[in-house]
Amino acid sequence: CSSDLGYLRKEPRIGTRYVLTGCIDFKGQDQCTRTQIYSLHFEIFCGPLTRLKQLSDAIADAKRCRREFLSGANTVSSSSGGEIPARFKDDVHASHPLYPYHQTQSVFAGSPQYPLALPRHFCIIIGGDLNTIMHGIVRLSASYCDRLRWLSVGETEAEWLQRNVLDLGGSKWLKALWWRMVYGLQPKYVEMSSNNELKLFDVFDKLKDITLDNPAYKGYVTAKLDWLILSNLMVSASSIGNQNYKLSDHKYLVNEVLLPPFLSPNGIAALGESPLEADSVLEAYSAHPNHRSPITAAAKMAYAG
């Protein structure tokens, strides 16, 4: 989106959109768990293919962080390798509480208290307003569209994103050819957005769980704009809030989750028991109808108790 058009569209801004990310470490005597969290707000005056590129950046970073954490590398989550960018260094005073962040090292790496032999679990939360709105009558406005404008007729943008990014399976080479020849995307985006390693999932229905229904459009512009994309977490309950839109023009999404290890061999959620292989659990999430997590009553009871 050209920044000089922002005032005409009542969204004045200069610059680009950023992704915020941070991690929370849970340190125990018998396991090491890190949850990497991403906060997103994607551009709306473009099209799904630009938003796909933005999501690809977050997914690629999550894969990098996961590999480094599981390998025991000393890392902090930063695209600059943990160093404060040069343009900001003069503005950060040594007494500022955020100043030492670029020197932080993970206690999981090489620490006698948390040796590498301990089980390590890496979880991901990617949440925010992805602005997946290009469908229905929105296709009639060039301000919100790209070449996918007519190529995705028959599905919402949220369904398209689910099918092209989060769904597992299919040939990577055919996908790369299709994305290049039809969508005009470089092959690198197939690799960056590949979900085979992380097995990301969003438990909400891509068609029915609407988070934006602007009354000004009389029900003609509705969409699932907001996402909670997870990896290696078990959802014990989910809900949608702000149904009357009094707090915001969006509804909000809520997931209650369990950290791994979260399943015993008999399928009952119970921390401390022998967990199932993570891949088998995540495969079950991805294959579930409507991409909802297979939540059992026993799992909810274990979580509540």
Side-chain angles (χ1 to χ4, degrees), residues 234-237 263 266-269 293-303:
M234 180 179 181
V235 180
S236 61
L263 288 179
N266 62 6
I268 305 299
S293 56
I295 305 170
T296 64
K300 290 184 179 180
M301 290 173 58
Y303 178 78

Side-chain angles (χ1 to χ4, degrees), residues 116-137:
L116 294 178
L118 287 179
R120 288 172 173 236
H121 306 283
F122 190 85
C123 311
I124 300 169
I125 301 174
I126 301 176
D129 177 4
L130 271 58
N131 269 321
T132 43
I133 198 172
M134 200 215 71
H135 51 264
I137 66 171

Side-chain angles (χ1 to χ4, degrees), residues 40 93 229 266 284 302:
L40 314 176
H93 191 272
I229 302 173
N266 62 6

Side-chain angles (χ1 to χ4, degrees), residues 44-287:
I44 188 170
F45 294 119
C46 55
L49 297 179
T50 298
R51 288 188 281 273
L52 171 64
K53 294 177 181 179
Q54 295 172 336
L55 181 59
S56 297
D57 285 341
I59 294 175
D61 185 75
K63 286 188 279 194
R64 176 188 63 82
C65 292
R66 177 181 181 272
R67 292 165 186 167
E68 291 178 346
F69 173 71
L70 295 181
S71 68
N74 277 324
T75 61
V76 294
S77 178
S78 170
S79 59
S80 59
E83 291 293 332
I84 294 179
R87 64 183 182 279
F88 295 142
K89 283 188 175 180
D90 293 339
D91 300 327
V92 181
H93 191 272
S95 61
H96 193 281
L98 294 182
Y99 182 78
Y101 94 94
H102 68 295
Q103 300 173 338
T104 302
Q105 293 183 333
S106 170
V107 297
F108 297 152
S111 169
Q113 189 176 0
Y114 304 103
L116 294 178
L118 287 179
R120 288 172 173 236
H121 306 283
F122 190 85
C123 311
I124 300 169
I125 301 174
I126 301 176
D129 177 4
L130 271 58
N131 269 321
T132 43
I133 198 172
M134 200 215 71
H135 51 264
I137 66 171
V138 176
R139 297 182 195 273
L140 302 180
S141 174
S143 298
Y144 301 94
C145 299
D146 52 25
R147 68 171 65 189
L148 204 64
R149 186 178 195 174
W150 308 119
L151 292 174
S152 63
V153 170
E155 61 184 350
T156 65
E157 183 180 339
E159 291 176 300
W160 181 90
L161 186 63
Q162 171 71 49
R163 182 171 58 84
N164 281 273
V165 176
L166 298 186
D167 281 354
L168 302 176
S171 169
K172 182 174 69 173
W173 308 112
L174 288 178
K175 187 176 184 179
L177 180 63
W178 181 264
W179 282 21
R180 181 60 174 172
M181 300 299 295
V182 179
Y183 297 157
L185 294 172
Q186 299 176 16
K188 69 177 183 178
Y189 289 110
V190 173
E191 186 62 34
M192 290 173 64
S193 66
S194 173
N195 195 25
N196 291 332
E197 177 181 342
L198 301 180
K199 297 180 175 62
L200 297 159
F201 65 94
D202 177 296
V203 302
F204 296 93
D205 192 288
K206 308 308 177 294
L207 180 63
K208 299 177 181 178
D209 289 336
I210 301 300
T211 63
L212 177 75
D213 187 356
N214 192 326
Y217 294 99
K218 311 298 182 181
Y220 289 104
V221 177
T222 64
K224 180 194 185 304
L225 297 189
D226 302 276
W227 295 66
L228 277 176
I229 302 173
L230 312 177
S231 174
N232 204 25
L233 291 164
M234 180 179 181
V235 180
S236 61
S238 60
S239 61
I240 302 177
N242 192 34
Q243 296 288 348
N244 55 14
Y245 294 101
K246 287 186 176 181
L247 301 177
S248 168
D249 60 336
H250 289 233
K251 296 179 183 179
Y252 62 79
L253 307 177
V254 178
N255 281 335
E256 296 182 25
V257 298
L258 294 172
L259 293 171
F262 39 68
L263 288 179
S264 66
N266 62 6
I268 305 299
L271 296 178
E273 298 184 24
S274 300
L276 289 171
E277 289 294 327
D279 281 351
S280 64
V281 175
L282 297 173
E283 291 281 1
Y285 279 132
S286 301

